Amino acid sequence: PALFTYMSECAPDSETFLGDARVVLAQQDVRYDVLYLDAYSSDSIPMHLLTREAIALYRNRVTDQGALVFHITNRYYDIAMPLARLADDLGLHAAIQTKHMTDKSVGHTSVVVVMSPDKARFDALRAGGQWDPLKSDGQAVWTDDFANPLSALRYFTD
């Protein structure tokens, strides 16, 4: 708290849950307007948080007008398409935003995907002009029993 004051200053009464997101969410019986997921930016990706079962759980934890927000900026993996496939499979509307940063100290790009069961929310988001629809390529959906992380690996030509 002496060094990191964001929570104590902005949300002092917020409850914090430590542990694996899927396990913690499965134990909760609460629904959110927005569920923000930011576990994908390291050099590896937690596959168990990108499966049909995981996204179905997240979807179950947001209201019918709610949204799932995924920060998926990653140096080595492009997980937009696996998310697009999952959104399509689960009947969710999905949009992506890629921001190219001019300040190199914070990285080169920021990539965010939003999914919502509410088409009106999706259309309102898209109306701002900064979000593109995220469409599935129809390939296999990642599940707890099948995932192909090599299919999301970025190929560098430099």
Side-chain angles (χ1 to χ4, degrees):
L3 298 175
F4 302 98
T5 62
Y6 179 78
M7 288 298 291
S8 60
E9 289 178 5
C10 295
D13 298 327
S14 293
E15 193 171 358
T16 301
F17 301 95
L18 298 178
D20 182 281
R22 278 184 68 175
V23 173
V24 171
L25 279 173
Q27 295 170 347
Q28 305 293 318
D29 190 26
V30 63
R31 293 181 52 138
Y32 301 94
D33 291 324
V34 176
L35 188 57
Y36 186 79
L37 301 121
D38 185 14
Y40 311 104
S41 60
S42 71
D43 292 343
S44 62
I45 51 175
M47 298 302 299
H48 70 291
L49 300 179
L50 289 168
T51 65
R52 176 188 291 136
E53 295 83 358
I55 304 301
L57 172 64
Y58 308 153
R59 165 57 188 104
N60 192 29
R61 293 299 183 260
V62 296
T63 64
D64 290 336
Q65 295 78 35
L68 302 172
V69 180
F70 298 84
H71 176 231
I72 61 167
T73 303
N74 190 290
R75 185 179 320 171
Y76 300 109
Y77 291 94
D78 180 1
I79 56 177
M81 191 50 58
L83 284 175
R85 295 173 194 145
L86 289 162
D88 187 56
D89 183 68
L90 294 168
L92 299 170
H93 305 280
I96 188 168
Q97 181 184 83
T98 302
K99 287 282 191 182
H100 298 282
M101 306 297 187
T102 56
D103 181 358
K104 302 278 189 214
S105 68
V106 296
H108 298 283
T109 60
S110 177
V111 183
V112 176
V113 169
V114 174
M115 293 183 195
S116 178
D118 184 7
K119 184 160 179 8
R121 178 175 292 271
F122 176 77
D123 291 341
L125 182 70
R126 291 270 345 276
Q130 296 184 358
W131 294 85
D132 295 315
L134 186 58
K135 301 288 186 187
S136 173
D137 62 2
Q139 297 295 316
V141 172
W142 291 358
T143 69
D144 285 348
D145 296 323
F146 167 82
N148 182 2
L150 292 178
S151 70
L153 193 61
R154 292 186 188 279
Y155 294 97
F156 296 99
T157 57
D158 297 332

